[in-house]
Amino acid sequence: MLTMALALVSVMGNVNRAARFAQAGAVLQALGWILLLLSSRVAPGGTADFALSTLSMGCISGGLACNAAAFELWCGRGAPDRVPALLAIAMTAGYGAGFSSYAFRVGWANGLLALQMALMIVGLARRAAVPVGRWRWLLIAGLAVQALFTAWRGVLGAFFTEQFPTFMTPHPVNLAFALVANVTTVAGLVGILLAHRDEAARALERLATIDGLTGVLNRRAWLLQADIELANSIRYGSPLAVLMIDIDHFKQINDSRGHEAGDRALQFFASVLKNACRSGDTVCRYGGEEFCVLLLRADEEAVLAFDRRIRIHLQDAAMRELGHPLGYSGGMALRAPDEVRMAGLLRRADAALYRAKAMGRARTIDAGRVPAELS
């Protein structure tokens, strides 16, 4: 466990919240086992034994709770379950309160540790919110074996105390537990490192597809998605629309209020677009202060309704959130029956956007109303 703790702290580098939980879990469990071994070197039942044993149980159980939180986060769940942490508190408190009874404290501690492991297995087995690798099945297998032998030791200590009178008793189950603990600790280390690698891979994928400032798709990722949706639109004969948007007078915001205010305006505007989208619609930062929205199954009326929602929301929300007004010009293009390339849609939407700017900004123009010589 000490080797595992040192390995996780040294090799993970710059870590996120899940990895920090995993590191804390390894450190706590290593400390717990060290304290437990030290407690076997002092007078049984004395103050030192009580302090070392109780603190060791708190560390081991707290380490499991930290690991449970790490696994929840690696499975894409935003808020870790609090039950393992509450069990760690209850286990430590109960162990200290019942320390005078060897049978009780052994049964209590091992029983609740086994329950914590069982809850971790359930959490790992649940459907993950993000794609995860086979590392969770490695962890599930290791935890299942650990939980079995931990519960078995609890039963021995609580109900067959004469067969298991001390922590170091060479009972076959205890010896098997020691062997299993070594194997599952290594398996646990491998599983945690694989989980951390998966998280790093997902982070790299996000960097490749998401605009770092606004949190919407970047241009490259949006174009890939748009081509897929265009093909679906052609195949099923469903309408499709592109809305190209440019924030009005954005340079003035940067020049008069600073680039930080400009960044806030971009982030706010992107969030407004995302919140106005229906399921399946996608937003991207096309470049600078320009955004593109792909609207699925949208005819002219649906695009105009989308445009109205954004403009109405901006009238009040921009002053409230940013302290200054925020408007935009837009160009919309509906897929024509013979249109098979996204480049054509974008070209027509861009021409409509150019027309909206030329007419005084703060409006959205339909590409179908742009003179042919401008498109």
Side-chain angles (χ1 to χ4, degrees):
M1 289 302 305
L2 185 58
T3 302
M4 180 175 174
L6 292 173
L8 290 182
V9 172
S10 61
V11 305
M12 277 185 164
N14 187 23
V15 296
N16 57 14
R17 188 181 174 205
R20 285 195 294 273
F21 270 122
Q23 289 176 338
V27 170
L28 283 172
Q29 288 191 71
L31 180 59
W33 283 107
I34 290 170
L35 292 172
L36 189 59
L37 291 172
L38 288 175
S39 71
S40 66
R41 298 293 184 264
V42 299
T47 302
D49 184 22
F50 170 79
L52 290 170
S53 298
T54 304
L55 191 55
S56 73
M57 290 298 106
C59 288
I60 292 172
S61 188
L64 287 177
C66 287
N67 284 345
F71 300 154
E72 289 280 294
L73 292 171
W74 274 324
C75 287
R77 300 174 193 123
D81 190 356
R82 295 182 180 180
V83 174
L86 294 175
L87 280 176
I89 295 171
M91 195 273 271
T92 308
Y95 186 91
F99 182 79
S100 59
S101 170
Y102 173 82
F104 170 80
R105 73 175 191 253
V106 172
W108 175 264
N110 284 281
L112 288 191
L113 287 174
L115 180 58
Q116 277 187 292
M117 295 174 195
L119 289 175
M120 291 165 69
I121 292 170
V122 171
L124 285 165
R126 284 168 52 204
R127 184 172 181 175
V130 296
V132 296
R134 297 177 181 176
W135 56 264
R136 64 169 171 168
W137 302 113
L138 178 64
L139 291 172
I140 286 172
L143 286 167
V145 175
Q146 275 188 289
L148 173 65
F149 281 96
T150 300
W152 200 343
R153 292 172 76 244
V155 171
L156 278 176
F159 303 107
F160 305 94
T161 310
E162 68 284 353
Q163 298 181 30
F164 189 54
T166 68
F167 171 71
M168 303 297 287
T169 299
H171 189 281
V173 173
N174 211 24
L175 295 174
F177 170 81
L179 177 62
V180 163
N182 278 280
V183 174
T184 55
T185 296
V186 175
L189 174 60
V190 173
I192 287 172
L193 291 174
L194 289 174
H196 181 56
R197 186 199 64 178
D198 271 9
E199 177 67 21
R202 288 197 298 270
L204 287 174
E205 185 177 354
R206 285 193 296 271
L207 287 174
T209 59
I210 301 297
D211 176 65
L213 177 64
T214 61
V216 298
L217 290 176
N218 60 28
R219 181 172 177 170
R220 174 181 170 276
W222 185 87
L223 287 172
L224 290 173
Q225 183 65 29
D227 283 339
I228 294 171
E229 297 300 346
L230 176 61
N232 290 333
S233 173
I234 295 169
R235 179 179 181 182
Y236 297 108
S238 57
L240 183 81
V242 167
L243 179 60
M244 190 169 280
I245 295 171
D246 188 89
I247 298 177
D248 290 336
H249 309 296
F250 183 75
K251 187 175 183 300
Q252 293 181 12
I253 298 174
N254 276 335
D255 292 344
S256 62
R257 299 175 181 273
H259 288 280
E260 187 177 341
D263 288 348
R264 286 198 302 270
L266 290 171
Q267 291 168 340
F268 169 71
F269 192 73
S271 70
V272 171
L273 290 178
K274 284 195 297 183
N275 291 334
C277 284
R278 305 160 303 166
S279 176
D281 297 341
T282 52
V283 182
C284 83
R285 185 182 177 191
Y286 202 69
E289 65 272 22
E290 200 168 35
F291 293 83
C292 253
V293 185
L294 184 70
L295 298 161
L296 305 186
R297 299 174 298 280
D299 54 16
E300 180 180 3
E301 184 179 346
V303 180
L304 292 175
F306 177 86
D307 180 69
R308 282 194 299 272
R309 288 200 303 273
I310 298 171
R311 294 188 184 277
I312 291 171
H313 182 74
L314 285 176
Q315 287 178 0
D316 296 326
M319 288 298 298
R320 184 174 64 251
E321 299 292 333
L322 302 175
H324 59 82
L326 193 67
Y328 68 89
S329 302
M332 55 181 280
L334 305 178
R335 183 182 71 81
D338 58 345
E339 199 152 33
V340 296
R341 298 191 63 186
M342 183 55 60
L345 265 169
L346 289 170
R347 185 168 54 249
R348 293 193 294 113
D350 189 54
L353 172 60
Y354 178 83
R355 181 73 168 171
K357 290 180 180 179
M359 292 176 64
R361 303 178 188 268
R363 66 196 69 209
T364 296
I365 299 295
D366 186 344
R369 296 187 173 86
V370 177
E373 62 272 15
L374 294 179
S375 60

PDB file of all heavy atoms in Angstrom, residues 28-52:
ATOM      1  N   LEU A  28      -4.080   7.246   2.625  1.00  0.00           N
ATOM      2  CA  LEU A  28      -4.797   6.927   3.859  1.00  0.00           C
ATOM      3  C   LEU A  28      -4.745   5.436   4.174  1.00  0.00           C
ATOM      4  O   LEU A  28      -4.544   5.035   5.327  1.00  0.00           O
ATOM      5  CB  LEU A  28      -6.251   7.397   3.762  1.00  0.00           C
ATOM      6  CG  LEU A  28      -6.500   8.898   3.943  1.00  0.00           C
ATOM      7  CD1 LEU A  28      -7.945   9.245   3.618  1.00  0.00           C
ATOM      8  CD2 LEU A  28      -6.166   9.327   5.371  1.00  0.00           C
ATOM      9  N   GLN A  29      -4.943   4.602   3.151  1.00  0.00           N
ATOM     10  CA  GLN A  29      -4.914   3.159   3.406  1.00  0.00           C
ATOM     11  C   GLN A  29      -3.513   2.697   3.801  1.00  0.00           C
ATOM     12  O   GLN A  29      -3.361   1.849   4.694  1.00  0.00           O
ATOM     13  CB  GLN A  29      -5.390   2.412   2.164  1.00  0.00           C
ATOM     14  CG  GLN A  29      -6.897   2.551   1.933  1.00  0.00           C
ATOM     15  CD  GLN A  29      -7.394   1.600   0.869  1.00  0.00           C
ATOM     16  OE1 GLN A  29      -7.455   0.392   1.085  1.00  0.00           O
ATOM     17  NE2 GLN A  29      -7.746   2.134  -0.277  1.00  0.00           N
ATOM     18  N   ALA A  30      -2.476   3.251   3.164  1.00  0.00           N
ATOM     19  CA  ALA A  30      -1.109   2.898   3.553  1.00  0.00           C
ATOM     20  C   ALA A  30      -0.844   3.290   5.002  1.00  0.00           C
ATOM     21  O   ALA A  30      -0.296   2.504   5.792  1.00  0.00           O
ATOM     22  CB  ALA A  30      -0.112   3.585   2.619  1.00  0.00           C
ATOM     23  N   LEU A  31      -1.260   4.503   5.361  1.00  0.00           N
ATOM     24  CA  LEU A  31      -1.087   4.970   6.736  1.00  0.00           C
ATOM     25  C   LEU A  31      -1.874   4.088   7.705  1.00  0.00           C
ATOM     26  O   LEU A  31      -1.389   3.750   8.805  1.00  0.00           O
ATOM     27  CB  LEU A  31      -1.541   6.424   6.849  1.00  0.00           C
ATOM     28  CG  LEU A  31      -1.421   7.085   8.228  1.00  0.00           C
ATOM     29  CD1 LEU A  31       0.023   7.064   8.722  1.00  0.00           C
ATOM     30  CD2 LEU A  31      -1.956   8.514   8.179  1.00  0.00           C
ATOM     31  N   GLY A  32      -3.092   3.700   7.293  1.00  0.00           N
ATOM     32  CA  GLY A  32      -3.915   2.855   8.157  1.00  0.00           C
ATOM     33  C   GLY A  32      -3.269   1.515   8.444  1.00  0.00           C
ATOM     34  O   GLY A  32      -3.259   1.048   9.593  1.00  0.00           O
ATOM     35  N   TRP A  33      -2.706   0.867   7.426  1.00  0.00           N
ATOM     36  CA  TRP A  33      -2.066  -0.426   7.635  1.00  0.00           C
ATOM     37  C   TRP A  33      -0.793  -0.300   8.463  1.00  0.00           C
ATOM     38  O   TRP A  33      -0.472  -1.170   9.279  1.00  0.00           O
ATOM     39  CB  TRP A  33      -1.773  -1.088   6.292  1.00  0.00           C
ATOM     40  CG  TRP A  33      -3.007  -1.681   5.664  1.00  0.00           C
ATOM     41  CD1 TRP A  33      -3.692  -1.219   4.596  1.00  0.00           C
ATOM     42  CD2 TRP A  33      -3.716  -2.835   6.116  1.00  0.00           C
ATOM     43  NE1 TRP A  33      -4.783  -1.997   4.337  1.00  0.00           N
ATOM     44  CE2 TRP A  33      -4.818  -3.014   5.262  1.00  0.00           C
ATOM     45  CE3 TRP A  33      -3.533  -3.745   7.157  1.00  0.00           C
ATOM     46  CZ2 TRP A  33      -5.737  -4.046   5.412  1.00  0.00           C
ATOM     47  CZ3 TRP A  33      -4.440  -4.783   7.295  1.00  0.00           C
ATOM     48  CH2 TRP A  33      -5.515  -4.930   6.439  1.00  0.00           C
ATOM     49  N   ILE A  34      -0.061   0.792   8.273  1.00  0.00           N
ATOM     50  CA  ILE A  34       1.130   1.018   9.106  1.00  0.00           C
ATOM     51  C   ILE A  34       0.732   1.160  10.573  1.00  0.00           C
ATOM     52  O   ILE A  34       1.342   0.547  11.469  1.00  0.00           O
ATOM     53  CB  ILE A  34       1.886   2.278   8.619  1.00  0.00           C
ATOM     54  CG1 ILE A  34       2.535   1.993   7.256  1.00  0.00           C
ATOM     55  CG2 ILE A  34       2.950   2.702   9.632  1.00  0.00           C
ATOM     56  CD1 ILE A  34       3.088   3.235   6.583  1.00  0.00           C
ATOM     57  N   LEU A  35      -0.314   1.944  10.826  1.00  0.00           N
ATOM     58  CA  LEU A  35      -0.773   2.122  12.204  1.00  0.00           C
ATOM     59  C   LEU A  35      -1.285   0.812  12.794  1.00  0.00           C
ATOM     60  O   LEU A  35      -1.069   0.522  13.984  1.00  0.00           O
ATOM     61  CB  LEU A  35      -1.881   3.188  12.248  1.00  0.00           C
ATOM     62  CG  LEU A  35      -1.443   4.626  11.943  1.00  0.00           C
ATOM     63  CD1 LEU A  35      -2.669   5.531  11.818  1.00  0.00           C
ATOM     64  CD2 LEU A  35      -0.526   5.145  13.043  1.00  0.00           C
ATOM     65  N   LEU A  36      -1.960   0.002  11.976  1.00  0.00           N
ATOM     66  CA  LEU A  36      -2.481  -1.266  12.464  1.00  0.00           C
ATOM     67  C   LEU A  36      -1.343  -2.220  12.841  1.00  0.00           C
ATOM     68  O   LEU A  36      -1.398  -2.910  13.877  1.00  0.00           O
ATOM     69  CB  LEU A  36      -3.380  -1.901  11.404  1.00  0.00           C
ATOM     70  CG  LEU A  36      -4.189  -3.130  11.827  1.00  0.00           C
ATOM     71  CD1 LEU A  36      -5.114  -2.795  12.992  1.00  0.00           C
ATOM     72  CD2 LEU A  36      -5.001  -3.666  10.663  1.00  0.00           C
ATOM     73  N   LEU A  37      -0.303  -2.258  12.023  1.00  0.00           N
ATOM     74  CA  LEU A  37       0.855  -3.098  12.350  1.00  0.00           C
ATOM     75  C   LEU A  37       1.572  -2.586  13.596  1.00  0.00           C
ATOM     76  O   LEU A  37       2.037  -3.372  14.424  1.00  0.00           O
ATOM     77  CB  LEU A  37       1.822  -3.136  11.160  1.00  0.00           C
ATOM     78  CG  LEU A  37       1.308  -3.895   9.930  1.00  0.00           C
ATOM     79  CD1 LEU A  37       2.253  -3.720   8.750  1.00  0.00           C
ATOM     80  CD2 LEU A  37       1.134  -5.384  10.243  1.00  0.00           C
ATOM     81  N   LEU A  38       1.639  -1.267  13.755  1.00  0.00           N
ATOM     82  CA  LEU A  38       2.253  -0.711  14.966  1.00  0.00           C
ATOM     83  C   LEU A  38       1.443  -1.062  16.213  1.00  0.00           C
ATOM     84  O   LEU A  38       1.998  -1.302  17.286  1.00  0.00           O
ATOM     85  CB  LEU A  38       2.373   0.810  14.842  1.00  0.00           C
ATOM     86  CG  LEU A  38       3.438   1.333  13.873  1.00  0.00           C
ATOM     87  CD1 LEU A  38       3.356   2.857  13.772  1.00  0.00           C
ATOM     88  CD2 LEU A  38       4.832   0.909  14.331  1.00  0.00           C
ATOM     89  N   SER A  39       0.105  -1.118  16.049  1.00  0.00           N
ATOM     90  CA  SER A  39      -0.736  -1.428  17.217  1.00  0.00           C
ATOM     91  C   SER A  39      -0.485  -2.844  17.729  1.00  0.00           C
ATOM     92  O   SER A  39      -0.717  -3.134  18.916  1.00  0.00           O
ATOM     93  CB  SER A  39      -2.220  -1.259  16.859  1.00  0.00           C
ATOM     94  OG  SER A  39      -2.657  -2.282  15.973  1.00  0.00           O
ATOM     95  N   SER A  40      -0.019  -3.740  16.838  1.00  0.00           N
ATOM     96  CA  SER A  40       0.262  -5.112  17.270  1.00  0.00           C
ATOM     97  C   SER A  40       1.581  -5.210  18.033  1.00  0.00           C
ATOM     98  O   SER A  40       1.919  -6.268  18.549  1.00  0.00           O
ATOM     99  CB  SER A  40       0.296  -6.035  16.051  1.00  0.00           C
ATOM    100  OG  SER A  40       1.391  -5.720  15.205  1.00  0.00           O
ATOM    101  N   ARG A  41       2.316  -4.094  18.089  1.00  0.00           N
ATOM    102  CA  ARG A  41       3.607  -4.083  18.788  1.00  0.00           C
ATOM    103  C   ARG A  41       3.514  -3.418  20.164  1.00  0.00           C
ATOM    104  O   ARG A  41       4.531  -3.273  20.841  1.00  0.00           O
ATOM    105  CB  ARG A  41       4.651  -3.331  17.940  1.00  0.00           C
ATOM    106  CG  ARG A  41       4.939  -3.969  16.591  1.00  0.00           C
ATOM    107  CD  ARG A  41       5.634  -5.318  16.759  1.00  0.00           C
ATOM    108  NE  ARG A  41       6.014  -5.899  15.473  1.00  0.00           N
ATOM    109  CZ  ARG A  41       5.297  -6.783  14.823  1.00  0.00           C
ATOM    110  NH1 ARG A  41       4.134  -7.183  15.315  1.00  0.00           N
ATOM    111  NH2 ARG A  41       5.713  -7.266  13.659  1.00  0.00           N
ATOM    112  N   VAL A  42       2.321  -2.999  20.551  1.00  0.00           N
ATOM    113  CA  VAL A  42       2.150  -2.370  21.868  1.00  0.00           C
ATOM    114  C   VAL A  42       1.290  -3.272  22.744  1.00  0.00           C
ATOM    115  O   VAL A  42       0.719  -4.268  22.277  1.00  0.00           O
ATOM    116  CB  VAL A  42       1.504  -0.972  21.741  1.00  0.00           C
ATOM    117  CG1 VAL A  42       2.389  -0.043  20.905  1.00  0.00           C
ATOM    118  CG2 VAL A  42       0.107  -1.072  21.135  1.00  0.00           C
ATOM    119  N   ALA A  43       1.181  -2.915  24.028  1.00  0.00           N
ATOM    120  CA  ALA A  43       0.406  -3.731  24.974  1.00  0.00           C
ATOM    121  C   ALA A  43      -1.057  -3.782  24.552  1.00  0.00           C
ATOM    122  O   ALA A  43      -1.680  -2.738  24.362  1.00  0.00           O
ATOM    123  CB  ALA A  43       0.525  -3.138  26.373  1.00  0.00           C
ATOM    124  N   PRO A  44      -1.623  -4.994  24.418  1.00  0.00           N
ATOM    125  CA  PRO A  44      -3.023  -5.118  23.996  1.00  0.00           C
ATOM    126  C   PRO A  44      -3.972  -4.449  24.997  1.00  0.00           C
ATOM    127  O   PRO A  44      -3.822  -4.586  26.206  1.00  0.00           O
ATOM    128  CB  PRO A  44      -3.262  -6.627  23.946  1.00  0.00           C
ATOM    129  CG  PRO A  44      -1.899  -7.232  23.842  1.00  0.00           C
ATOM    130  CD  PRO A  44      -0.991  -6.310  24.595  1.00  0.00           C
ATOM    131  N   GLY A  45      -4.963  -3.710  24.463  1.00  0.00           N
ATOM    132  CA  GLY A  45      -5.982  -3.097  25.296  1.00  0.00           C
ATOM    133  C   GLY A  45      -5.577  -1.805  25.954  1.00  0.00           C
ATOM    134  O   GLY A  45      -6.411  -1.149  26.585  1.00  0.00           O
ATOM    135  N   GLY A  46      -4.322  -1.373  25.813  1.00  0.00           N
ATOM    136  CA  GLY A  46      -3.868  -0.143  26.428  1.00  0.00           C
ATOM    137  C   GLY A  46      -4.267   1.085  25.624  1.00  0.00           C
ATOM    138  O   GLY A  46      -4.885   1.003  24.553  1.00  0.00           O
ATOM    139  N   THR A  47      -3.869   2.243  26.139  1.00  0.00           N
ATOM    140  CA  THR A  47      -4.205   3.511  25.487  1.00  0.00           C
ATOM    141  C   THR A  47      -3.569   3.602  24.101  1.00  0.00           C
ATOM    142  O   THR A  47      -4.208   4.031  23.131  1.00  0.00           O
ATOM    143  CB  THR A  47      -3.735   4.697  26.350  1.00  0.00           C
ATOM    144  OG1 THR A  47      -4.343   4.599  27.637  1.00  0.00           O
ATOM    145  CG2 THR A  47      -4.105   6.012  25.706  1.00  0.00           C
ATOM    146  N   ALA A  48      -2.307   3.173  23.994  1.00  0.00           N
ATOM    147  CA  ALA A  48      -1.626   3.222  22.711  1.00  0.00           C
ATOM    148  C   ALA A  48      -2.298   2.301  21.703  1.00  0.00           C
ATOM    149  O   ALA A  48      -2.467   2.660  20.528  1.00  0.00           O
ATOM    150  CB  ALA A  48      -0.158   2.835  22.888  1.00  0.00           C
ATOM    151  N   ASP A  49      -2.697   1.129  22.167  1.00  0.00           N
ATOM    152  CA  ASP A  49      -3.382   0.180  21.289  1.00  0.00           C
ATOM    153  C   ASP A  49      -4.705   0.780  20.804  1.00  0.00           C
ATOM    154  O   ASP A  49      -5.039   0.703  19.615  1.00  0.00           O
ATOM    155  CB  ASP A  49      -3.620  -1.134  22.037  1.00  0.00           C
ATOM    156  CG  ASP A  49      -4.240  -2.212  21.146  1.00  0.00           C
ATOM    157  OD1 ASP A  49      -4.104  -2.099  19.913  1.00  0.00           O
ATOM    158  OD2 ASP A  49      -4.840  -3.162  21.690  1.00  0.00           O
ATOM    159  N   PHE A  50      -5.445   1.371  21.739  1.00  0.00           N
ATOM    160  CA  PHE A  50      -6.728   1.988  21.391  1.00  0.00           C
ATOM    161  C   PHE A  50      -6.534   3.093  20.353  1.00  0.00           C
ATOM    162  O   PHE A  50      -7.240   3.148  19.340  1.00  0.00           O
ATOM    163  CB  PHE A  50      -7.394   2.559  22.646  1.00  0.00           C
ATOM    164  CG  PHE A  50      -8.586   3.424  22.366  1.00  0.00           C
ATOM    165  CD1 PHE A  50      -9.809   2.859  22.081  1.00  0.00           C
ATOM    166  CD2 PHE A  50      -8.477   4.820  22.370  1.00  0.00           C
ATOM    167  CE1 PHE A  50     -10.916   3.653  21.799  1.00  0.00           C
ATOM    168  CE2 PHE A  50      -9.564   5.619  22.089  1.00  0.00           C
ATOM    169  CZ  PHE A  50     -10.794   5.037  21.812  1.00  0.00           C
ATOM    170  N   ALA A  51      -5.571   3.987  20.604  1.00  0.00           N
ATOM    171  CA  ALA A  51      -5.362   5.125  19.715  1.00  0.00           C
ATOM    172  C   ALA A  51      -4.896   4.661  18.328  1.00  0.00           C
ATOM    173  O   ALA A  51      -5.439   5.088  17.295  1.00  0.00           O
ATOM    174  CB  ALA A  51      -4.345   6.083  20.320  1.00  0.00           C
ATOM    175  N   LEU A  52      -3.906   3.780  18.305  1.00  0.00           N
ATOM    176  CA  LEU A  52      -3.373   3.327  17.017  1.00  0.00           C
ATOM    177  C   LEU A  52      -4.401   2.525  16.225  1.00  0.00           C
ATOM    178  O   LEU A  52      -4.553   2.716  15.015  1.00  0.00           O
ATOM    179  CB  LEU A  52      -2.116   2.482  17.250  1.00  0.00           C
ATOM    180  CG  LEU A  52      -0.872   3.227  17.751  1.00  0.00           C
ATOM    181  CD1 LEU A  52       0.218   2.238  18.162  1.00  0.00           C
ATOM    182  CD2 LEU A  52      -0.341   4.163  16.669  1.00  0.00           C
TER     183      LEU A  52
END
